Amino acid sequence: MIRIKTYEEIEQMKPAALLVGKTLAEVSKHIEPGVSTETLDSIAEEFIRSHNAEPTFKGYEGFPASLCISINEVVVHGIPDKRTINDGDVISIDCGCTLNGWVGDSAYTFAVKGIKEENKRLLQVTKASLYKGIEACKVGSRLGDIGNAIQTYCESYGYGVVRELCGHGLGHVMHEDPSVLNYGRKGTGAKLREGMTLAIEPMITLGNKEVVFHNDGWTCTTVDCSAAAHFEHDVAVTKQGTVILSSFEEIEEAIKTNPNLELI
Ligand code: MG
Ligand code: MG
């Protein structure tokens, strides 16, 4: 069942979505070669809790951390551990915050200095595809229009569109109906209605689209070990147009001040 939100509820969701961006901005200040992903996770957890919010991921279906940190060939759901960041890494960080009973869920992929040009291009195209999807997300369109926009754009670069994972509705809980696929046919799927709140999140690979899930039950990597990227925004469908509830603004400001990162 798709849960439609009132305008008042959409306003109430904004602080949670924005806190995710603030958290990712804070984390990005600490990305440098040699730092472990579990250190970055602790920084996120402390930041979220200091803002009177809860890290939504922690304990979600048993997930042990506040962030998913997915490096290079890891597509999504990487579990923070002692693995450290290296020059040239592609680091996707996904974060969820629950604030005042509402969930925000957003992801950004960071380019560590020395990144290969082909990987940098993957990040640029994946991020652009998120906005193509958002553009296609409007009252009267259909879910398939969003997926088609993302798929068509990414495949025009020869990239792989991961099929096993997708975006979703969100609200009081992180995963609500409907599933928001990153591929599909125009004019198919549920009609987009005013008051729908969705997390749109292309997960795109440099090579083959096939992925494998590890025995930890979470980590998802590309079968061909090519790099992957993941960008996610929360949006609300309204009559005045689709509103992006989350923000990359503070993340990108922070990237500019971190000499270990490249703004893509
Ligand atoms: Mg997410
Ligand atoms: Mg999500």
Side-chain angles (χ1 to χ4, degrees):
M1 188 190 72
I2 298 174
R3 301 180 71 96
I4 295 298
K5 279 78 174 180
T6 63
Y7 278 84
E8 196 183 12
E9 288 174 318
I10 290 169
E11 282 304 311
Q12 290 169 5
M13 287 178 69
K14 285 181 182 170
L18 291 175
L19 183 58
V20 179
K22 289 179 196 298
T23 305
L24 291 174
E26 179 62 26
V27 168
S28 69
K29 292 176 191 166
H30 301 270
I31 298 177
E32 58 181 357
V35 72
S36 72
T37 54
E38 66 185 12
T39 298
L40 298 177
D41 185 66
S42 306
I43 290 164
E45 180 169 1
E46 205 180 304
F47 187 86
I48 293 166
R49 293 195 192 280
S50 74
H51 286 78
N52 299 316
E54 295 286 323
T56 315
F57 294 2
K58 198 154 193 178
Y60 184 87
E61 289 183 7
F63 191 77
S66 300
L67 298 176
C68 295
I69 305 184
S70 307
I71 302 178
N72 298 333
E73 75 285 357
V74 184
V75 183
V76 286
H77 301 164
I79 300 173
D81 59 12
K82 304 230 176 306
R83 180 170 178 176
T84 54
I85 306 295
N86 290 307
D87 281 340
D89 276 347
V90 169
I91 306 175
S92 303
I93 307 186
D94 195 352
C95 179
C97 293
T98 307
L99 180 62
N100 299 325
W102 296 98
V103 174
D105 176 19
S106 180
Y108 195 93
T109 302
F110 297 88
V112 182
K113 69 169 192 295
I115 186 173
K116 281 188 204 157
E117 273 309 309
E118 59 176 3
N119 288 344
K120 195 169 173 178
R121 188 88 185 127
L122 170 72
L123 270 52
Q124 289 164 341
V125 170
T126 304
K127 186 177 156 195
S129 80
L130 168 59
Y131 293 102
K132 297 274 177 198
I134 292 170
E135 230 172 83
C137 174
K138 52 192 174 206
V139 175
S141 294
R142 291 181 182 272
L143 276 173
D145 296 322
I146 300 175
N148 183 265
I150 294 169
Q151 179 184 13
T152 308
Y153 186 70
C154 293
E155 287 182 349
S156 75
Y157 287 85
Y159 296 153
V161 178
V162 175
R163 300 295 201 269
E164 285 79 355
L165 299 146
C166 61
H168 48 91
L170 89 168
H172 286 304
V173 295
M174 183 159 56
H175 293 131
E176 292 185 351
D177 285 337
S179 289
V180 183
L181 305 182
N182 294 313
Y183 61 95
R185 277 185 295 141
K186 277 185 185 172
T188 63
K191 220 174 211 177
L192 297 170
R193 291 169 50 201
E194 195 185 3
M196 281 187 181
T197 49
L198 307 172
I200 301 178
E201 47 180 317
M203 287 157 264
I204 307 299
T205 68
L206 184 67
N208 195 285
K209 70 179 188 302
E210 302 307 324
V211 296
V212 63
F213 291 87
H214 292 216
N215 289 337
D216 62 16
W218 291 102
T219 313
C220 170
T221 60
T222 55
V223 166
D224 64 6
C225 287
S226 66
H230 179 210
F231 287 86
E232 177 178 23
H233 266 318
D234 300 333
V235 304
V237 181
T238 79
K239 266 189 190 150
Q240 290 75 35
T242 292
V243 180
I244 303 177
L245 305 175
S246 44
S247 172
F248 293 157
E249 214 175 291
E250 287 177 71
I251 299 170
E252 294 181 341
E253 282 309 311
I255 290 172
K256 286 183 200 160
T257 64
N258 184 340
N260 301 296
L261 293 175
E262 283 189 33
L263 188 63
I264 53 118

